[in-house]
């Protein structure tokens, strides 16, 4: 056998040994005349036999899954669990917060054009100059604050990575961080990764107002940061000016950082959204986080950003550099077009979602739920207890399997799950036909027992 043939055999055997599962079984189909010589064939068979034995051995001795201790308590996200179960049972998904309709054509066309124009290599780590400037311009329009796009804006992989980079870049192990429960589940997981000490303030129905005296007692010189979200997921609550001013005064007094997740800022229905960074003394201690996905129905693009003064941006960018380094270049180019949308777009967006909200809220009340007020986001929280289930998980499983509708149990959004066991969350970021269909299923199959 010459050296070239021997080299080919060695390459083939290496591929079979390490990538056999990736090679289609029909690779050696007689139709393409790739039958190997007898000497090679015997070696392949021997290798395949070894692989088969190894696979059988692996199947017989299942090793326990491994995970770092800081993540042991966290399971597959509730959104994934409920969506998988919903798909299995053909349920209408009012659980996970993504629209079942597409974003505007002018933004998608901008992405296509950016790809055609060759904007396909790594973008600058902290964001393309045009997008950084567009974010700064939109922030100025919305808040009146002037920020430096080069030193105070960082483009991230959605708001979730903005949260991750902010927490990992600015929080040390043992630092105390205050959350408002219920909270988006990634908050606690990310704080756990950073080794933070989490302290929780619970927002309770019907209005989910902040218990201000409890907050005053909780914030101290030991507090490093407050992680907040307004408009608030999952409740739809919007923090009032009074609540934000109390938070601000406590932060200034105790030198506390605020991480403010404001991804639903354009979905405020009954009051105006207030960015806490715009309050006196707060910009220099606030990281404002936002994204494109919720406002433009492009959740799969994962374009987000963090806005902060330079001394905080430094830590955010240090973490961001080693989490994702840079973000999709053509999508950044298209995001510039999105953020330059006329004000009429945002007015129409709010009107459309108000109509969807009315359909769902009216329907849920007719079904028999106690529906709590939602001033923002595209979520509504209800009390499921009139239907006789012991907790939210049991109710949501029944709702999927027997009724054919997906909702999210809220107990996973609390440090103490007992506090959320009576509540479930519905999303109305769906077309009207879907919302009406879900309501009709619930009217038909759900019966109050109390």
């Amino acid at each position: 056998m010459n050296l070239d043939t021997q080299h080919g055999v060695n390459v083939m055997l290496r591929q079979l040994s390490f990538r056999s599962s990736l090679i289609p079984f029909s690779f050696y189909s007689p139709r393409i005349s790739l039958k190997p010589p007898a000497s090679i064939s015997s070696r392949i068979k021997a290798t395949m036999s070894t692989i088969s034995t190894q696979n059988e051995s692996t199947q017989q001795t299942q090793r326990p899954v491994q995970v770092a201790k800081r993540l042991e308590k966290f399971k597959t996200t509730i959104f994934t669990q409920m969506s998988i179960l919903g798909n299995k049972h053909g349920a209408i998904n009012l659980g996970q917060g993504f629209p079942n309709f597409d974003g505007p054509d002018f933004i998608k066309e901008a992405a296509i054009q950016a790809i055609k124009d060759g904007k396909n290599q790594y973008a600058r780590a902290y964001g393309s100059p045009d997008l950084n400037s567009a974010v700064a311009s939109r922030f100025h329009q919305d808040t009146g604050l002037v920020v430096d796009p080069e030193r105070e804006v960082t483009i991230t992989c959605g708001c979730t990575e903005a949260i991750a980079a902010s927490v990992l870049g600015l929080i040390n192990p043992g630092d105390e961080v205050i959350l408002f429960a219920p909270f988006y589940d990634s908050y606690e997981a990310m704080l756990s990764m950073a080794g933070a000490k989490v302290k929780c303030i619970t927002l309770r129905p019907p209005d989910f107002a902040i218990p201000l005296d409890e907050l005053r007692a909780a914030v101290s010189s030991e507090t490093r940061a407050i992680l907040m979200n307004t408009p608030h997921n999952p409740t739809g609550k919007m923090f009032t000016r009074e609540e934000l001013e109390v938070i601000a005064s406590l932060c200034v007094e105790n030198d506390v950082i605020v991480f403010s997740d404001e991804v639903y800022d354009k979905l405020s229905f009954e009051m105006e959204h207030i960015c806490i960074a715009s309050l006196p003394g707060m910009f220099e201690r606030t990281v404002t986080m936002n994204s494109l996905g919720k406002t433009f129905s492009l959740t799969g693009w994962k374009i987000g950003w963090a806005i902060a003064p330079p001394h905080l941006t430094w830590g955010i960018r240090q973490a961001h550099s080693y989490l994702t380094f840079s973000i999709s270049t053509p999508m950044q180019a298209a995001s510039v077009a999105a953020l330059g949308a006329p004000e009429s777009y945002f007015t129409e967006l709010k009107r459309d979602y108000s109509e969807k909200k009315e359909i769902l809220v009216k329907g849920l009340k007719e079904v028999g739920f106690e529906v709590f007020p939602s001033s923002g986001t595209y979520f509504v929280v209800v009390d499921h207890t009139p239907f006789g289930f012991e907790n939210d998980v049991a109710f949501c499983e029944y709702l999927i399997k027997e009724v054919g509708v997906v909702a999210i149990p809220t107990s996973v959004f609390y440090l103490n799950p007992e506090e959320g066991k009576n509540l479930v969350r519905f999303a109305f970021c769906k077309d009207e036909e879907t919302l009406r269909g879900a309501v009709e299923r619930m009217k038909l199959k759900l019966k109050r027992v109390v």
Side-chain angles (χ1 to χ4, degrees), residues 31 38 61 68 78 99 162 206 266-267 294 307 349 378 380 393 403 409:
R31 289 180 295 172
T61 54
I78 194 64
K266 295 301 182 185
L267 298 177
K294 306 302 190 296
I307 300 172
L349 177 78
Y378 42 51
V380 173
V393 174
V403 181

Side-chain angles (χ1 to χ4, degrees), residues 2 122 185 199 305 360 388 395:
N2 62 37
Y122 288 129
D185 60 350
K199 183 183 287 187
W305 52 86
L360 183 60
F395 173 79

Side-chain angles (χ1 to χ4, degrees), residues 204-217:
R204 294 180 171 83
D207 58 0
F208 298 99
I210 297 175
L212 295 177
D213 288 341
E214 187 178 338
L215 178 63
R216 291 185 182 98

